Amino acid sequence: MDELEIDAVAEVELDDPVLVEGLPGVGHVGTLAVEHVLEELEGESTLVRRIYSREFPPQVSVEDGVSELTCAEIHAVEVPDGRDLLLLTGDHQAQSNAGHYTLTDAFLDVAEAFGATEVYALGGVPTGELIEEYAVVGAVSDESLLEAHEDAGVEFRDDEPAGGIVGVSGLLLGLGERRGFEATCLMGETSGYLVDPKSARALLEVLEDVLGFELDYESLDERADEMEDVIGKIQEMEQQQGMDVPTDDDLRYIG
């Protein structure tokens, strides 16, 4: 296999589409968000591209006994009364710095081929503590994009996230801007040590506002309830066993 291969699975005509990335990251926030859109708009979605790369881990996924080489996928979603979407999903990011650049360029190539000029990268920003109110922190590739997102409730904070934005989400901003894309990164606040459906919902509510689509959240809310049950049981077990329950300071970390 070559270093990078893009399989054209299907061709569709889209109306002013937007690329929305949801690859694994902190709290799996972006991944959960994009998977929920695919689940809710399944009837309007079409798998259009698979991207294979030697930068992905050397493994296959297995479903019902059938293997599939690790890859990223792009689904086209025709949204009634809203902007059409190109949803980027996958189980892995690249394993090297050079690989992040190669794959991000490939994702932008696909977006460009379908006529997209706008990109949203979705992810999480770790707080290191359990939170009740889920803010969405943003970064944009151009100052002209600030106002519309502030109106949608996105917070733009000085020097946050600390250390910048790494991986595909960061490069979609940087490389996207250099290629003429309007690029935005939306990061839901999350503790950073658990899968976080509530943070994913906060991101999606912003996207609903700025891109003009509507979703049902019943299944995502059920996952959030399940995670809260898990947290409660872990804390209860630790208390019964006389173990120290982690404090907010214990949970804080960089990354």
Side-chain angles (χ1 to χ4, degrees), residues 87-167:
L87 300 179
L88 169 59
T89 67
D91 294 329
H92 302 280
Q93 294 211 30
Q95 299 185 99
S96 72
N97 292 340
H100 282 299
Y101 279 88
T102 298
L103 283 167
T104 302
D105 266 328
F107 300 148
L108 291 171
D109 286 343
V110 174
E112 199 169 62
F114 279 96
T117 59
E118 192 170 354
V119 176
Y120 279 87
L122 306 183
V125 57
T127 65
E129 59 189 11
L130 298 176
I131 52 179
E132 294 295 330
E133 298 295 328
Y134 286 78
V136 175
V137 180
V140 293
S141 61
D142 190 87
E143 188 176 354
S144 64
L145 302 173
L146 290 172
E147 183 176 355
H149 293 92
E150 286 174 333
D151 290 344
V154 179
E155 298 182 12
F156 295 94
R157 303 172 179 171
D158 291 341
D159 301 320
E160 191 171 340
I165 305 168
V166 300

